[in-house]
Amino acid sequence: VPPRPDGKRVSLRALAEATSLHPSTVSRILNGVDVRSSAATRARVVRTAQELGYQPDVAARSLRTGRSFAVGFVIPDLTDTLFARLHQGAERAAHAEGYHTLLCTVELDAGLCERDIAFLTARGVDGILLATARLDEPLLERLREAGTPCLLINRHTLGGEPFVAADDEAGARAATEHLLELGHRRIGFVGGTPGVSTAEGRLAGYRAAIEAAGLGVDEALVRGESFGVAPARAAAEKLLALDEIPTAIVVVDDMMALAVHGVLREHGLRVPEDVSVTGFNDLPIAELVDPPLTTVTTQPELMGELATRILLDHVVRGAELRTELLPSSLIVRGSTAPPPLSRAGRG
Amino acid sequence: VPPRPDGKRVSLRALAEATSLHPSTVSRILNGVDVRSSAATRARVVRTAQELGYQPDVAARSLRTGRSFAVGFVIPDLTDTLFARLHQGAERAAHAEGYHTLLCTVELDAGLCERDIAFLTARGVDGILLATARLDEPLLERLREAGTPCLLINRHTLGGEPFVAADDEAGARAATEHLLELGHRRIGFVGGTPGVSTAEGRLAGYRAAIEAAGLGVDEALVRGESFGVAPARAAAEKLLALDEIPTAIVVVDDMMALAVHGVLREHGLRVPEDVSVTGFNDLPIAELVDPPLTTVTTQPELMGELATRILLDHVVRGAELRTELLPSSLIVRGSTAPPPLSRAGRG
DNA sequence: CTGTTAGCGCCTTCAT
DNA sequence: ATGAAGGCGCTAACAG
């Protein structure tokens, strides 16, 4: 006896009896596969299926087809709004194909680990979206062996695996150029975890802009050990301990930018009058704080949606996985202004 | 032929052959059910299971047992950190029992709707955690009929359904009392969506504190049509349009409190010098902004964890669902201070 | 155009 | 203490 207390989920067999057809015929019609039935019976079946509220049993279907109709979504921390937004897009695209996402929460910056692979493969996900990849991700090989397709999202590797991510370099370059145009010449950088493409890409964009302006990169101005509020505060303190402090700081992330702002405040410095600050990701708070934060936006929902579509195109229809680089664009708000010297010069 | 390209997941049968036992024996041993085998063979089976990396096929197991080993988690929007934190706790507790959570994202304040029920029951979840209930939630009856247990989390109904939630009333009362102690007598309230327990409970706490202080509630000071940043701004504008504006505002949510702060700023008012502001939920940004936000904390991870444990105790072991009210506590930060008049009086 | 058959991997009753 | 048998609900080959 099946333990389910209510004995009345309509099965395919019940539907077949109701329509005086064979289960397999009904199955074919409802799945739109091998449709040789007349339009009349087809309509009849579909209608009674709706009337009886037929819902195919996913477990049975999975067992039979070998597909679970789930994609794993490996993410560090939904508490970070960026990842929540990525997931929102992914969920929407998954539902559109009758799929659902299976969340696998991992430690930030730890990459993919055995436990996660076990969790996801045990549930037989048909594919994986990995948002936490490091530049070197040896365990991807394990997934390949297991035959589970994997698409990187948000962060990419150096191994040439397909990914969907924002153009981090262009975003950081735009932010830095914006500061250069305002007249800043001494621009600090508060970065993220080394070995992670978002951190490295944004740093590269910062460097590229500085060098394109004919200025050398002063390595004393490049700080940041890892993502996170505490590291950001530490990095800011180091920048403020310099003999000559920067007049602007490019920060790798919005929350971290707010943390940097906090440290500046503690030192009696005002944003943007004394020091300009830029962030990354355009979190909802960015426009609520004072001053509203100049930042780079990256359309995370779109990214999640696109990545999921690409992955499911592969899983469901056998298309090739492919890489997409999404544009990032600068949003100028109140946290950036000309440097104090040029203001003094003007005044 | 099963479509899975790699033909080599170890099945129970493979394990049986490896141990020269019958599949059913192996099953019994691994599930710890009806254990009549000798300790020796038991150990041998467990060991080889680990060696071969045996993972029971969830689909097959679900089909057979009628359990899906998944609980649905109905949530409005992971972008709101509160819900992300609830989920984090829930996920942890679910994993501890071999369960996973199946996220079902719904519109904020819409309660439970047909589509969500269909989504979750189609996947045969063994239970549902509903974080978006309204005080009147007629569709819960539908779930009862379907035989899917449901535990409310975060918000409760008036129908007496079991829930796990924070003491919203006590939290708002504490915030209001704190303002009263600072000397405020004209305290505004920016509330959330009517018909939702968190909004109503916090409003009730505000009222209770005002009345306990021997003051009458001035209904002109009670504003707010629904949760959200835009409604919060509108409510703040209304409070500032009064002949005599409040010297403090209790806001039903942190993000909304920041929005209110923004409106105050636009009107040339400083927080807390001119107007004090309190929030609710203690989001991570609360301590990063300037001034850091005085708010009420509610341990959302614990709430998610506890609710999941209670639900699974019911699902797995048949325990009764029960209600738990978690304490909320006030965190005093920089956004609250004595009202301007008393400061003038002191000065 | 429709029905028959078989089996996905597992658990559970019943028989040894 | 173990084996045998059956079936959960569905789909995909192969007849008719």
Side-chain angles (χ1 to χ4, degrees):
Chain A
V1 207
R4 175 158 282 148
D6 62 302
K8 45 178 174 179
R9 258 179 76 121
V10 269
S11 68
L12 203 55
R13 222 177 55 196
L15 236 185
E17 281 167 15
T19 55
S20 341
L21 285 171
H22 195 272
S24 57
T25 311
V26 177
S27 168
R28 277 186 299 241
I29 290 175
L30 289 171
N31 290 324
V33 178
D34 227 8
V35 263
R36 317 180 283 239
S37 313
S38 74
T41 41
R42 242 166 38 202
R44 188 163 53 93
V45 167
V46 170
R47 186 162 39 77
T48 49
Q50 285 188 334
E51 282 172 12
L52 300 187
Y54 170 70
Q55 304 254 250
D57 182 314
V58 270
R61 179 185 263 203
S62 289
L63 181 58
R64 182 60 237 241
T65 62
R67 286 167 54 193
S68 65
F69 303 95
V71 290
F73 196 70
V74 184
I75 221 171
D77 181 4
L78 281 176
T79 281
D80 186 330
T81 315
L82 170 74
F83 292 103
R85 290 175 68 190
L86 284 177
H87 177 259
Q88 222 153 35
E91 198 186 31
R92 198 182 321 149
H95 286 186
E97 299 255 24
Y99 268 71
H100 67 260
T101 57
L102 178 54
L103 233 53
C104 177
T105 309
V106 305
E107 226 173 309
L108 183 66
D109 301 339
L112 192 62
C113 64
E114 290 287 349
R115 208 175 43 81
D116 312 320
I117 294 186
F119 175 77
L120 292 170
T121 57
R123 274 152 189 88
V125 293
D126 298 339
I128 293 178
L129 290 164
L130 177 60
T132 62
R134 300 181 49 85
L135 286 169
D136 174 41
E137 199 61 71
L139 265 60
L140 285 178
E141 185 51 41
R142 291 277 318 282
L143 282 182
R144 226 188 317 272
E145 286 166 18
T148 308
C150 179
L151 181 60
L152 307 174
I153 176 170
N154 178 51
R155 299 177 179 179
H156 62 80
T157 60
L158 288 179
E161 284 89 0
F163 66 88
V164 175
D167 194 335
D168 291 300
E169 180 165 346
R173 188 152 19 88
T176 312
E177 282 167 357
H178 163 64
L179 293 169
L180 288 165
E181 278 162 21
L182 286 173
H184 293 273
R185 286 298 171 267
R186 200 163 166 70
I187 303 175
F189 184 81
V190 171
T193 311
V196 169
S197 70
T198 45
E200 304 279 9
R202 290 167 202 177
L203 175 55
Y206 160 83
R207 287 187 189 280
I210 300 276
E211 280 161 11
L215 305 170
V217 172
D218 180 350
E219 295 300 333
L221 291 179
V222 178
R223 291 283 115 121
E225 312 290 308
S226 75
F227 286 116
V229 162
R233 288 185 55 89
E237 291 287 1
K238 279 187 199 141
L239 288 177
L240 295 186
L242 294 174
D243 288 341
E244 195 183 349
I245 69 166
T247 62
I249 307 179
V250 173
V251 187
V252 81
D253 170 274
D254 279 358
M255 280 301 265
M256 292 169 71
L258 296 184
V260 167
H261 183 175
V263 171
L264 290 171
R265 211 160 46 222
E266 289 163 22
H267 283 255
L269 295 164
R270 291 158 308 162
V271 173
E273 291 83 355
D274 300 315
V275 180
S276 288
V277 172
T278 70
F280 218 102
N281 285 340
D282 191 28
L283 301 191
I285 9 140
E287 57 175 348
L288 287 182
V289 293
D290 179 38
L293 189 62
T294 294
T295 188
V296 175
T297 181
T298 56
Q299 313 179 71
E301 290 90 352
L302 179 63
M303 193 159 126
E305 205 170 333
L306 181 59
T308 308
R309 275 215 297 266
I310 292 177
L311 179 62
L312 289 181
D313 262 353
H314 174 68
V315 167
V316 177
R317 289 174 285 277
E320 281 300 303
L321 290 178
R322 64 175 199 276
T323 289
E324 292 270 356
L325 198 64
L326 297 177
S328 350
S329 57
L330 184 69
I331 300 181
V332 177
R333 294 204 183 96
S335 68
T336 47
L341 280 180
S342 73
R343 297 168 135 259
R346 277 200 317 230
Chain B
V1 206
R4 175 157 282 150
D6 63 301
K8 45 178 178 182
R9 260 180 73 121
V10 269
S11 68
L12 204 55
R13 222 177 55 196
L15 196 53
E17 281 168 16
T19 54
S20 346
L21 284 170
H22 195 270
S24 55
T25 312
V26 177
S27 168
R28 276 185 297 242
I29 290 175
L30 290 171
N31 290 324
V33 178
D34 225 11
V35 263
R36 318 183 280 242
S37 313
S38 74
T41 43
R42 242 167 37 202
R44 187 162 54 93
V45 167
V46 170
R47 186 160 40 76
T48 50
Q50 284 187 334
E51 281 172 11
L52 300 188
Y54 170 70
Q55 305 254 251
D57 182 313
V58 269
R61 179 184 263 200
S62 289
L63 181 58
R64 181 62 239 247
T65 61
R67 285 169 55 192
S68 65
F69 304 95
V71 291
F73 196 71
V74 183
I75 219 171
D77 181 4
L78 282 175
T79 281
D80 186 330
T81 315
L82 170 74
F83 293 102
R85 290 174 67 188
L86 284 176
H87 178 259
Q88 222 153 35
E91 198 185 31
R92 197 181 323 148
H95 286 186
E97 299 256 22
Y99 268 72
H100 67 261
T101 58
L102 178 54
L103 232 53
C104 177
T105 310
V106 305
E107 224 173 310
L108 185 65
D109 301 339
L112 193 62
C113 63
E114 290 286 350
R115 208 175 43 82
D116 311 320
I117 294 187
F119 174 77
L120 293 170
T121 56
R123 274 152 188 88
V125 293
D126 298 340
I128 293 179
L129 291 164
L130 177 60
T132 62
R134 300 180 49 85
L135 284 170
D136 174 39
E137 198 63 70
L139 265 60
L140 285 178
E141 186 49 42
R142 293 276 319 282
L143 283 182
R144 225 187 318 272
E145 286 166 18
T148 309
C150 179
L151 180 61
L152 306 174
I153 176 170
N154 178 49
R155 299 176 179 179
H156 62 80
T157 60
L158 288 179
E161 283 89 2
F163 66 87
V164 176
D167 194 335
D168 290 299
E169 180 164 348
R173 188 153 18 90
T176 311
E177 282 166 358
H178 163 64
L179 292 169
L180 288 165
E181 279 162 21
L182 286 172
H184 292 273
R185 285 299 169 268
R186 198 161 169 72
I187 303 175
F189 184 81
V190 171
T193 310
V196 168
S197 71
T198 45
E200 303 279 9
R202 290 167 203 177
L203 174 55
Y206 161 83
R207 286 186 190 281
I210 300 276
E211 279 161 11
L215 305 170
V217 172
D218 180 350
E219 295 300 332
L221 290 179
V222 178
R223 290 282 112 124
E225 312 290 309
S226 75
F227 286 117
V229 162
R233 288 185 54 90
E237 291 288 0
K238 279 186 197 140
L239 289 177
L240 295 188
L242 294 174
D243 288 340
E244 195 183 349
I245 69 167
T247 62
I249 306 179
V250 173
V251 187
V252 82
D253 170 274
D254 279 357
M255 279 301 266
M256 292 169 71
L258 297 184
V260 167
H261 183 175
V263 171
L264 291 170
R265 210 159 48 221
E266 289 162 23
H267 283 255
L269 295 164
R270 291 159 306 164
V271 173
E273 291 83 356
D274 300 314
V275 180
S276 288
V277 172
T278 70
F280 217 102
N281 284 341
D282 192 28
L283 301 190
I285 10 142
E287 57 176 348
L288 288 181
V289 293
D290 179 39
L293 189 63
T294 294
T295 188
V296 175
T297 181
T298 56
Q299 314 180 70
E301 289 90 352
L302 179 63
M303 194 159 126
E305 204 169 333
L306 182 59
T308 308
R309 275 215 296 266
I310 291 176
L311 179 63
L312 288 181
D313 262 354
H314 174 68
V315 167
V316 178
R317 289 174 285 277
E320 281 300 303
L321 291 178
R322 64 175 200 275
T323 289
E324 290 271 355
L325 197 64
L326 297 177
S328 349
S329 57
L330 184 70
I331 300 182
V332 176
R333 295 206 182 96
S335 68
T336 46
L341 280 178
S342 75
R343 297 167 134 258
R346 279 200 317 229

